[in-house]
Amino acid sequence: MFLENITLQRVLPCTANKNKIKILASLSTNVAELMPYINGTISSAVYNREAGWITFRMGEKIVTLYDRKVAVTKLLNEMDAYETLDIIKNTINEIEAGKDRITPSTETKKMPTPLDIYKMLPKKNCRECGEMSCLSFAGKVLTGQTKLEKCKILDEPIYEKEKRKLEDIFEMFGLKD
Ligand code: SF4
């Protein structure tokens, strides 16, 4: 078997959702060489070859693989963590076993632009976040000069879908701590 074990190392509160947890785990095998194949298989994957990580969505969860580590966010509890790590292990082994049929990809998805972020904001230009407009907020949140949480309008139930999307984008592109 390519990847024998994934060992849970740390359990932390999830930054994106305080009712959930995030975990760090170690991999028994270095998966760096498999990353282009994962990128070629999983459509949601964002691969950063230079930095040596690939991140992808697994349902609600965001999985980030490094050479010998994996981080997973938005887990319900430790039981969910163990089940998810098992799924990740099986997915990695399946991709490795089917490598001959996969076209590897080193393509890195484009970072979102302020306009991409703006499209998901409430567009009220109410200035409650301390910025002059939603577009200005979008630019600043992308460069880390402000935080997504500052837009309280996004907490309204009507924007739940957009807020979740924005949190995922920030997490997947490593724009969130
Ligand atoms: S609080 Fe939200 S809706 Fe209001 S200006 Fe800032 S980003 Fe736009």
Side-chain angles (χ1 to χ4, degrees), residues 57-138:
R57 181 197 293 275
M58 196 174 257
E60 283 280 294
K61 296 150 198 161
I62 308 278
V63 178
T64 306
L65 277 174
Y66 306 87
D67 291 4
R68 299 197 77 119
K69 273 190 309 181
V70 61
V72 189
T73 63
K74 299 190 184 178
L75 290 153
L76 297 174
N77 47 42
E78 275 195 46
M79 177 68 82
D80 190 21
Y82 282 112
E83 285 173 5
T84 304
L85 290 179
D86 222 33
I87 295 170
I88 293 169
K89 187 178 91 171
N90 292 340
T91 304
I92 289 173
N93 283 326
E94 276 167 25
I95 291 175
E96 204 279 334
K99 252 169 58 177
D100 294 347
R101 298 186 300 277
I102 300 168
T103 307
S105 165
T106 53
E107 184 198 346
T108 301
K109 288 199 178 63
K110 253 182 27 187
M111 283 284 280
T113 64
L115 198 58
D116 295 329
I117 301 299
Y118 169 77
K119 284 176 187 165
M120 286 175 265
L121 289 173
K123 303 178 200 67
K124 288 185 181 285
N125 294 324
C126 63
R127 301 185 182 184
E128 282 186 31
C129 56
E131 304 304 327
M132 294 298 283
S133 65
C134 293
L135 187 57
S136 152
F137 178 78

Side-chain angles (χ1 to χ4, degrees), residues 2 13 25 46-47 51 66 106 148 166-167 171:
F2 174 71
V46 174
Y47 180 30
Y66 306 87
T106 53
L148 197 58
L166 283 162
E167 285 174 346
E171 192 123 9

